[in-house]
């Protein structure tokens, strides 16, 4: 496998993490049903969509399959999603249970960006990754603040 393919696989992986996170936030918004957290969740969805759009050309250039990129997900995020669904049913504080797990998804997202950036990407791709990581850092910071605010 060439280095270029490896780099693109890392970008594709980020797109899959973003897809999973988008689905997770959409369900959290529906399940929590709280007017206070809904705007946060909606903002996270929009920001993830923007970063996904920014990165898709780099992943698509190598992967060549838009459908796979659009529908692909990340197993670790999906597993956390299932765990949160169960936890949400058992917890007396649904809001905090969901926010707590979503903050962990933000950690996973940042890790995927860091891993891709460690690979020595082509200049344009690295610039897009750095811009995307900056956006995702702000998402992480917002969810961390929300996590602290919802803790009892």
């Amino acid at each position: 496998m060439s280095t270029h393919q490896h780099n693109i696989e890392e970008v594709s992986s980020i797109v899959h993490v973003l897809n999973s996170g988008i689905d997770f936030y959409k369900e959290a918004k529906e399940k929590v049903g709280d007017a206070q957290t809904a705007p946060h969740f909606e903002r996270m969805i929009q920001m993830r969509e923007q970063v996904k759009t920014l990165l898709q050309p780099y992943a698509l250039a190598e992967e060549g399959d838009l459908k796979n990129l659009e529908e692909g997900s990340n197993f670790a995020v999906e597993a956390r999603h299932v765990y949160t669904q169960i936890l949400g049913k058992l917890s007396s504080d649904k809001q905090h249970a969901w926010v707590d797990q979503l903050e962990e998804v933000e950690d996973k997202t940042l890790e995927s960006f860091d891993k891709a950036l460690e690979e020595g990407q082509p200049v344009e791709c690295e610039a897009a990754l750095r811009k995307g990581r900056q956006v995702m850092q702000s998402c992480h910071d917002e969810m961390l603040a929300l996590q602290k605010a919802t803790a009892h």
Side-chain angles (χ1 to χ4, degrees):
M1 177 184 295
S2 75
T3 303
H4 181 69
Q5 284 176 322
H6 180 69
N7 292 342
I8 295 302
E9 285 178 14
E10 295 299 331
V11 175
S12 296
S13 177
I14 293 170
V15 171
H16 292 250
V17 169
L18 292 169
N19 284 338
S20 294
I22 289 166
D23 292 343
F24 202 166
Y25 275 106
K26 285 178 180 177
E27 184 166 349
K29 186 177 164 187
E30 177 186 315
K31 297 285 184 184
V32 173
D34 177 66
Q36 183 182 19
T37 55
H40 294 281
F41 294 167
E42 187 59 39
R43 190 168 31 262
M44 298 302 111
I45 292 166
Q46 291 172 358
M47 293 172 90
R48 284 175 168 274
E49 289 282 0
Q50 290 171 358
V51 172
K52 183 174 119 174
T53 300
L54 174 70
L55 297 180
Q56 272 185 330
Y58 301 102
L60 186 59
E62 183 66 26
E63 195 156 307
D65 185 359
L66 183 60
K67 182 175 180 177
N68 187 35
L69 282 175
E70 289 293 329
E71 296 176 0
S73 62
N74 177 271
F75 177 75
V77 175
E78 293 300 322
R80 183 163 297 284
H81 186 180
V82 170
Y83 169 75
T84 304
Q85 289 173 326
I86 295 166
L87 183 63
K89 291 177 182 175
L90 301 175
S91 176
S92 61
D93 187 354
K94 272 189 196 179
Q95 180 189 33
H96 184 70
W98 280 88
V99 168
D100 193 47
Q101 295 306 306
L102 287 164
E103 191 279 330
E104 292 294 327
V105 169
E106 295 303 335
D107 287 343
K108 172 68 176 156
T109 303
L110 290 176
E111 288 171 16
S112 67
F113 272 89
D114 292 342
K115 184 176 179 183
L117 285 164
E118 289 172 2
E119 297 296 324
Q121 304 286 353
V123 176
E124 288 179 9
C125 182
E126 183 173 334
L129 284 167
R130 290 194 184 285
K131 183 176 180 179
R133 193 196 184 287
Q134 186 176 25
V135 172
M136 291 295 94
Q137 182 67 54
S138 70
C139 289
H140 173 271
D141 295 348
E142 184 173 341
M143 288 310 296
L144 184 60
L146 188 58
Q147 180 186 38
K148 290 176 182 176
T150 60
H152 297 297

